[in-house]
Amino acid sequence: MKIMHLSDLHLGKHVNKFSMIEDQRYILDRIVDVADQEKPDAVIIAGDVYDVPQPPVEAMELLDDFLDNLSKRNLHVFEISGNHDSAARIAFGNKRLVEKMHISPVYAGNVECIRLNDEYGPVDFFMLPFVKPVIVRSIYPYEKIEDYTDAVKAAVSHMKIDSSHRNVLIAHQFVTGAERCDSEELSIGGLDNVDVSVFEPFDYVALGHIHKGQKVFRETVRYSGTPLKYSFSEINHKKSVTVVEFGSGKNPSIRTVPLKPLRDMREIKGSYDDVVNLQKSDDYLHIVLTDENEVPDAISELRKIFPNVMKLDYDNSRTRYMADETDGVENAVKIHPFDLFTRFFRERTNSEMNEDQKKFVRQVVAEIWEKDE
């Protein structure tokens, strides 16, 4: 059985006030081309289908067109909601799509197995939308659920998993150890971390949430990454589709198929005179000028050559001095409440907190953040 793993489409997203809808339409068409080449049995979309809970009409139309193109290829599609999506809005699609479209309902504790069969037997798919501890705790109030690891572990423990089958989990969480980037929605202090051990019952874990394609500890726990670059922290990422192929055993082969965007996202650095003499480009650019004096109306002039300049900065003696001056202030502002309490505890008691005390403080801080959201 062959599976294409996607995630984090973020349809409707704007990057530095530039709409990405045209780029997203282009890359979805390229993904359909990959499906035509690979001829998978199933396509997974592991959350953050949209960029916001109430997406614009053009984003919803774009998703409809994409799903319609996949349905015409007579393959199964598995789609879950992520932290950016409205779970209820994503689940609504269940009522209007064809039989082979599988869309996760709002999490209520009952993650059903969807079983596909090939010549070697059953492959069981489990769809777990993005969950928070407060959600799982409300469903299982008598279980000990203090953090995100506990929440996902509880959700998995209530799935009816047949270990003799090949089992696939689709989830949208941050697994401890994954490499993050600036375009993701970060939880302060890593409170959303999930330990990879909770995924032990599954032969492949198709993850969403992290924008860089990567494995996490084992080859079969993977983020596919975004199909497009959504921040300049991603300029060195190689965007792709992950292709997973099961044979008779429980160890699938895994490879990636590169995706080439309509416009790349790049950084250019040099003097104004050097930059304006470069070849014209429609790519999304972060231009860093090294001139000691600011160039009047530089960004307007540069956009005559590079219409998609998203960001303009200077790197010179003045900006380096300012960066040194502000580093201390910014670092102080970014201290997480857990770390502040740790310092307070150490100063007051002249000792360090033990593991039980640390866990309790993390739980209290996490509960405060959930109430604020």
Side-chain angles (χ1 to χ4, degrees):
M1 181 166 295
K2 185 184 286 190
I3 303 163
M4 278 174 49
H5 171 193
L6 312 167
S7 73
D8 297 273
L9 306 181
H10 287 281
L11 300 181
K13 188 174 184 65
H14 284 70
V15 178
N16 294 307
K17 300 182 179 180
F18 282 70
S19 170
M20 302 299 289
I21 203 77
E22 183 182 5
D23 303 81
Q24 291 172 335
R25 182 177 293 107
Y26 178 88
I27 210 67
L28 291 182
D29 286 343
R30 301 293 73 75
I31 291 170
V32 172
D33 290 343
V34 174
D36 287 338
Q37 296 162 12
E38 294 290 336
K39 295 180 171 49
D41 301 286
V43 172
I44 288 171
I45 307 173
D48 280 357
V49 180
Y50 296 121
D51 192 54
V52 292
Q54 302 295 327
V57 172
E58 60 183 356
M60 293 189 289
E61 291 175 344
L62 185 55
L63 178 64
D64 283 347
D65 290 343
F66 180 54
L67 294 180
D68 184 56
N69 280 331
L70 293 179
S71 70
K72 289 175 181 176
R73 272 101 182 139
N74 195 35
L75 45 77
H76 290 266
V77 176
F78 296 89
E79 178 185 300
I80 66 169
S81 59
N83 57 302
H84 280 251
D85 299 308
S86 161
R89 181 177 289 275
I90 294 293
F92 179 76
N94 259 329
K95 300 176 181 178
R96 60 185 176 84
L97 293 173
V98 297
E99 181 183 356
K100 290 189 175 183
M101 293 285 175
H102 313 284
I103 299 180
S104 63
V106 175
Y107 181 73
N110 53 333
V111 176
E112 296 182 1
C113 163
I114 298 171
R115 183 165 296 161
L116 305 185
N117 289 282
D118 62 12
E119 62 268 35
Y120 302 111
V123 179
D124 292 348
F125 291 80
F126 297 85
M127 297 192 294
L128 179 65
F130 177 71
V131 292
K132 298 180 179 180
V134 67
I135 296 171
V136 184
R137 197 181 301 126
S138 69
I139 297 167
Y140 303 116
Y142 301 110
E143 297 192 20
K144 187 178 180 182
I145 299 171
E146 298 179 345
D147 54 26
Y148 276 78
T149 294
D150 292 341
V152 177
K153 185 176 181 180
V156 169
S157 71
H158 288 274
M159 298 177 190
K160 296 179 180 178
I161 303 170
D162 187 334
S163 60
S164 69
H165 295 175
R166 294 160 292 170
N167 291 288
V168 175
L169 176 69
I170 306 165
H172 190 95
Q173 306 288 159
F174 173 55
V175 180
T176 305
E179 184 179 342
R180 310 185 89 151
C181 59
D182 293 346
S183 56
E184 296 149 13
E185 185 175 294
L186 303 183
S187 175
I188 299 176
L191 295 173
D192 57 350
N193 285 17
V194 174
D195 191 86
V196 71
S197 62
V198 303
F199 302 125
E200 191 61 34
F202 300 98
D203 304 302
Y204 184 75
V205 182
L207 291 167
H209 191 42
I210 300 301
H211 289 189
K212 181 180 180 180
Q214 58 191 286
K215 68 175 183 179
V216 189
F217 292 104
R218 60 182 171 99
E219 290 290 336
T220 52
V221 178
R222 300 189 70 90
Y223 289 99
S224 64
T226 55
L228 290 171
K229 299 173 184 179
Y230 287 136
S231 77
F232 286 103
S233 66
E234 301 176 50
I235 58 175
N236 294 319
H237 289 191
K238 305 297 183 185
K239 301 301 184 180
S240 63
V241 173
T242 303
V243 178
V244 182
E245 195 161 5
F246 278 99
S248 58
K250 296 168 77 65
N251 295 310
S253 64
I254 301 168
R255 56 190 170 84
T256 57
V257 178
L259 290 172
K260 185 175 181 180
L262 179 63
R263 305 173 184 89
D264 200 2
M265 187 173 284
R266 300 187 289 120
E267 183 177 280
I268 295 175
K269 186 174 182 178
S271 69
Y272 179 82
D273 288 340
D274 288 340
V275 170
V276 295
N277 284 309
L278 294 174
Q279 185 175 356
K280 290 185 177 183
S281 174
D282 288 332
D283 286 349
Y284 295 116
L285 298 178
H286 175 204
I287 295 179
V288 181
L289 297 180
T290 56
D291 304 81
E292 283 297 324
N293 297 312
E294 290 196 11
V295 179
D297 205 22
I299 195 162
S300 297
E301 294 301 314
L302 288 167
R303 280 179 175 158
K304 293 176 183 178
I305 306 168
F306 312 109
N308 294 315
V309 176
M310 285 185 163
K311 190 177 180 183
L312 174 65
D313 285 315
Y314 283 84
D315 181 12
N316 54 33
S317 57
R318 178 184 59 83
T319 58
R320 287 191 289 273
Y321 173 79
M322 291 174 63
D324 290 341
E325 288 291 300
T326 57
D327 266 353
V329 175
E330 288 183 357
N331 288 336
V333 171
K334 292 178 182 177
I335 297 174
H336 184 257
F338 174 80
D339 298 319
L340 286 173
F341 188 86
T342 301
R343 292 183 186 180
F344 173 78
F345 185 93
R346 185 186 304 118
E347 290 169 2
R348 288 292 178 142
T349 66
N350 199 31
S351 63
E352 300 290 340
M353 288 189 291
N354 62 36
E355 290 305 314
D356 288 339
Q357 290 168 328
K358 289 179 181 178
K359 189 169 185 178
F360 174 75
V361 174
R362 286 195 181 97
Q363 178 187 349
V364 171
V365 173
E367 287 176 351
I368 292 170
W369 250 263
E370 286 177 8
K371 289 176 182 177
D372 289 343
E373 290 179 347

